[in-house]
Amino acid sequence: MVLKPHPWTPMNAFELAKVGEEAGLPPGVFNVVVGGAEVGEELCTHPGVDMIGFTGSTATGRRIREISAATMKRAQLELGGKSAHIVLDDITEDDVGGIGFGQVLMHAGQACTVTSRLILPEHLLDAYVEGVKATAPLITVGDPRDPAIVVGPLIRDQQRQRVESFVESAQQEGARLVVGGKRPDHLDHGFYYEPTAFVDCRNDMRVCQEEVFGPVLSVLTYRSEDEAIRIANDSIYGLAGMVMTRNAARGFNVARQIRTGTIMVQTLAPGADLGENPGDGQGPGWSLPARGMFNGGGPLGGFKQSGLGREQGRWGFEEYTELKSITMM
């Protein structure tokens, strides 16, 4: 195995190499090479490489597919996302304030599965805006080594400038800024950016179609369940997603209409209407109040331009195996 980390983040790969050495892996079994695109292109075209596993941008994934095709390499690609979080209309005004805002702050928004499009019933928008305004002052931004801090920095200034370009374009296209939208006033160094939320968004806006990779939430509204599903699917991506409801069966039936590789149904508790059978005759009875973001033991991967193949569990191992048939006569 050859591991090539991103040139901005090589140190964790070196630590993994140390762990392998301490565990007794023979020399040459696990290898780390560092560098930029030229190193990646060499690995993707080298005849000694049979399989490529990649996590990163869709643009780089397309390039990997292009240059590896000459040697017919297999590939497992976990690429970009613009995941949707649908709030169904059985959620009340008392529950809606701030929903989804915390999730877009995971790793300061630098996570592929971030649900950065919140799709909200139109009648809940005013209550949601008030909830976000009340939540934002409670979110601390600063040095992530401090346990009191919620949101740390972006990886470098280049990424912060990219986030700023999305915020600027959203405002130019008519989105309304509710909170954030600038660098924190109290931090004069480091690549920090305030948690940001926009409402009055349209799904054709750049901020709703492209992966920001920063702490920016776009809120869209709908009038019918079918419209919510249509908005969620109106994307080149299909990596992850979420449905929030008080009825597990309804949430399941919405979730299975979303073209995404991983999706979570969160039944709001207490008081969630699970019925005698959580499936309520409309779906499997698996849904319980959520205790985590996604099933860590299940397959992770995307539809559409979010990638090929799956990571995690037996599915992830199978990506790295070949079937061989031997016939004895």
Side-chain angles (χ1 to χ4, degrees):
M1 177 181 179
V2 178
L3 173 61
K4 180 204 169 295
H6 193 286
W8 295 356
T9 56
M11 298 306 295
N12 59 345
F14 293 142
E15 291 302 314
L16 282 173
K18 290 179 183 178
V19 170
E21 186 176 31
E22 292 169 1
L25 283 179
V29 172
F30 180 74
N31 311 275
V32 175
V33 296
V34 296
E38 72 286 351
V39 176
E41 297 230 353
E42 175 66 21
L43 288 170
C44 291
T45 55
H46 195 285
V49 175
D50 297 319
M51 164 78 183
I52 300 167
F54 172 74
T55 298
S57 73
T58 293
T60 302
R62 292 192 195 106
R63 178 61 179 165
I64 289 171
R65 290 283 283 170
E66 177 186 350
I67 64 176
S68 65
T71 49
M72 296 298 289
K73 299 186 191 304
R74 299 179 65 191
Q76 184 279 317
L77 307 176
E78 198 267 275
L79 307 177
K82 194 65 187 178
S83 301
H85 181 170
I86 298 177
V87 177
L88 294 183
D89 59 12
D90 55 3
I91 301 299
T92 68
E93 289 187 357
D94 293 336
D95 298 322
V96 77
I99 283 176
F101 193 43
Q103 290 174 16
V104 83
L105 307 181
M106 179 170 55
H107 304 306
Q110 300 167 117
C112 53
T113 58
V114 161
T115 48
S116 56
R117 289 184 299 152
L118 183 70
I119 303 176
L120 195 70
E122 192 175 70
H123 71 275
L124 293 179
L125 180 60
D126 290 344
Y128 186 80
V129 168
E130 292 306 311
V132 168
K133 287 181 177 179
T135 301
L138 307 177
I139 300 173
T140 52
V141 180
D143 190 334
R145 293 171 294 186
D146 182 346
I149 294 298
V150 176
V151 180
L154 297 166
I155 189 168
R156 57 171 50 193
D157 192 48
Q158 178 179 335
Q159 181 59 26
R160 183 169 60 177
Q161 291 179 30
R162 173 178 164 84
V163 172
E164 289 174 327
S165 75
F166 275 99
V167 170
E168 181 180 357
S169 71
Q171 291 175 305
Q172 290 176 347
E173 292 183 83
R176 174 163 56 103
L177 181 66
V178 178
V179 295
K182 62 183 179 67
R183 303 180 182 190
D185 295 330
H186 68 289
L187 296 169
D188 57 5
H189 68 280
F191 312 126
Y192 297 96
Y193 201 78
E194 288 186 350
T196 300
F198 284 102
V199 298
D200 300 339
C201 295
R202 301 185 318 275
N203 204 43
D204 61 353
M205 291 178 173
R206 179 179 174 229
V207 74
C208 296
Q209 287 294 318
E210 298 182 27
E211 188 172 37
V212 177
F213 234 58
V216 179
L217 179 68
S218 304
V219 181
L220 303 107
T221 58
Y222 70 90
R223 296 183 179 180
S224 70
E225 189 174 290
D226 287 344
E227 183 184 9
I229 293 167
R230 179 188 59 77
I231 293 171
N233 285 330
D234 183 16
S235 171
I236 66 169
Y237 299 111
L239 184 60
M242 182 178 291
V243 179
M244 178 173 285
T245 180
R246 287 189 176 274
N247 184 283
R250 184 183 180 199
F252 170 80
N253 284 313
V254 170
R256 68 181 189 172
Q257 295 178 72
I258 308 303
R259 295 203 64 222
T260 187
T262 302
I263 192 162
M264 174 178 167
V265 178
Q266 184 175 16
T267 48
L268 194 63
D273 178 16
L274 298 180
E276 292 184 7
N277 170 10
D280 199 26
Q282 302 179 56
W286 50 260
S287 187
L288 294 172
R291 292 176 174 83
M293 183 61 181
F294 294 111
N295 176 11
L300 175 65
F303 290 9
K304 298 185 281 187
Q305 294 190 41
S306 286
L308 297 170
R310 294 295 181 266
E311 297 177 344
Q312 300 185 168
R314 66 176 178 84
W315 303 271
F317 282 109
E318 288 172 355
E319 294 285 344
Y320 289 83
T321 64
E322 292 273 25
L323 290 175
K324 181 175 182 176
S325 176
I326 300 177
T327 302
M328 297 191 66
M329 301 296 289

